[in-house]
Amino acid sequence: MKPSTPSTVCVLFHVFFGSLSAVTICGNLLVIISITYFKQLHTPTNSLILSLAVADLLVGLVVFPFNMEFSVSSCVFSEELSCKVRDSFDVTLCTASILNLCCISIDRYYAVCHPLTYRTKINVHVVVIMIVVSWSVSLLVAIGLVMAGLDQAKCQENCFIDLQLANILGLLCSFYLPVILMLSIYLKIFLVAQKQVRSIQGTKSGATASKMERKATKTLATVMGVFLMCWSPFFLCTSFQLLTHMPVPVAVIESLSWLALSNSMLNPFIYAFFYSWFRSAFRMIISRKIFQGDFSDSKLH
């Protein structure tokens, strides 16, 4: 039961996670405005980043408030309709965010490993297909899990196996398969980058080549490290509970859920703030310079 008057802990809880929601919304909104406004950023790669930013923006706008409300009302595992709505938004948007990250890794693979054929392999048509598939799969996973839950509520034991199967498929599509794909791709990118560095060591100083190699390592480690840090605990806990049927404290699940959602707040920093042209775009937007004239053709550097 929710207390009639909010306690100090609840107030602090809402202030803290409300701040995270605001940062998530603002960060992803900056990315969306930058890509849609500045013509220099109208590229297939940035279309994928735009799709990711939309998913993460909706996480901050929809999922964060739902989680703030239900984390203090013990909604987890409830059969109420409002909780089903929360779960469907949660699964759809978080899966879309993860699958968009997966699409970005595929784009980076062709850019680094096949630079000569990159523009023909990753064009606007291919990017649109990738985005549509990512969002479609996310919707199907969410619908499948919600429908399996509703059926299980009606027929109880007879639908238990169907629900287990739906949960397993959901975990595979939402996390494990994308993670395996991303780890494989980024490992390949890292190996190719190392090979490229070694091939130019004869024309550049060893210190410069070593610096490039460290930068490539740091970038890839940051991308995958932050993603795995945020999402792995939640999905491993969920998998453990699903396979062993052992109850996990609600507080633990909610804490891990918030850690996972924080990835949507960090994505703009990882995939946008690392690039100088995005930083230039952000400065122009924050300073409101774009409202003083038409700067859509500005050269960002």
Side-chain angles (χ1 to χ4, degrees):
M1 297 293 293
K2 294 174 62 177
S4 56
T5 57
S7 65
T8 303
V9 174
C10 289
V11 171
L12 293 175
F13 178 91
H14 281 86
V15 170
F16 176 71
F17 288 109
S19 300
L20 293 185
S21 177
V23 172
T24 302
I25 293 170
C26 292
N28 287 287
L29 198 57
L30 279 174
V31 176
I32 293 171
I33 295 174
S34 298
I35 295 175
T36 54
Y37 181 80
F38 294 102
K39 294 180 181 179
Q40 181 182 337
L41 302 180
H42 292 178
T43 65
T45 301
N46 288 336
S47 296
L48 293 173
I49 296 179
L50 176 63
S51 178
L52 171 66
V54 170
D56 289 334
L57 173 69
L58 292 174
V59 168
L61 198 62
V62 179
V63 179
F64 271 61
F66 266 122
N67 268 32
M68 280 191 292
E69 176 62 24
F70 292 130
S71 290
V72 296
S73 63
S74 300
C75 176
V76 182
F77 307 123
S78 173
E79 299 298 330
E80 293 180 6
L81 177 62
S82 58
C83 300
K84 296 297 182 184
V85 172
R86 173 219 186 183
D87 292 342
S88 60
F89 275 118
D90 199 338
V91 173
T92 300
L93 297 177
C94 292
T95 302
S97 180
I98 293 173
L99 293 182
N100 276 294
L101 289 174
C102 197
C103 290
I104 291 173
S105 69
I106 295 173
D107 172 83
R108 291 299 84 206
Y109 168 78
Y110 280 100
V112 176
C113 301
H114 303 282
L116 297 180
T117 59
Y118 169 68
R119 294 188 180 278
T120 57
K121 294 285 187 180
I122 308 295
N123 51 42
V124 175
H125 179 68
V126 172
V127 167
V128 169
I129 292 176
M130 293 169 73
I131 292 173
V132 171
V133 169
S134 297
W135 284 93
S136 299
V137 171
S138 303
L139 284 171
L140 289 175
V141 170
I143 292 172
L145 290 176
V146 171
M147 292 300 295
L150 291 175
D151 290 340
Q152 198 265 343
K154 294 178 182 178
C155 59
Q156 298 299 328
E157 296 180 1
N158 295 333
C159 296
F160 179 74
I161 295 178
D162 293 339
L163 180 61
Q164 290 289 91
L165 181 61
N167 285 329
I168 292 173
L169 291 176
L171 289 172
L172 287 174
C173 295
S174 296
F175 181 72
Y176 289 107
L177 292 180
V179 162
I180 292 172
L181 179 60
M182 280 191 284
L183 284 174
S184 302
I185 288 174
Y186 280 124
L187 177 60
K188 177 66 175 178
I189 291 174
F190 174 66
L191 294 175
V192 170
Q194 278 191 320
K195 185 177 179 180
Q196 291 174 347
V197 168
R198 285 193 294 268
S199 67
I200 63 175
Q201 280 183 335
T203 58
K204 293 191 175 185
S205 66
T208 302
S210 177
K211 183 178 180 181
M212 292 175 62
E213 188 170 336
R214 287 197 304 270
K215 183 177 181 180
T217 303
K218 183 179 179 180
T219 302
L220 293 179
T222 301
V223 168
M224 285 308 301
V226 171
F227 172 78
L228 292 174
M229 178 190 71
C230 292
W231 281 104
S232 294
F234 174 77
F235 277 104
L236 289 175
C237 179
T238 304
S239 302
F240 172 79
Q241 184 180 29
L242 183 64
L243 296 174
T244 64
H245 309 300
M246 293 179 61
V248 177
V250 172
V252 173
I253 295 179
E254 289 296 287
S255 298
L256 296 180
S257 174
W258 278 108
L259 177 62
L261 291 177
S262 67
N263 188 235
S264 293
M265 178 185 67
L266 298 173
N267 280 337
F269 297 93
I270 299 173
Y271 289 91
F273 286 18
F274 277 9
Y275 300 99
S276 59
W277 50 86
F278 272 107
R279 290 196 294 271
S280 298
F282 294 159
R283 283 194 292 268
M284 294 180 69
I285 295 171
I286 294 173
S287 64
R288 295 182 293 180
K289 185 177 180 180
I290 62 173
F291 299 108
Q292 301 171 9
D294 185 7
F295 293 92
S296 60
D297 292 314
S298 299
K299 184 68 177 178
L300 303 173
H301 52 78

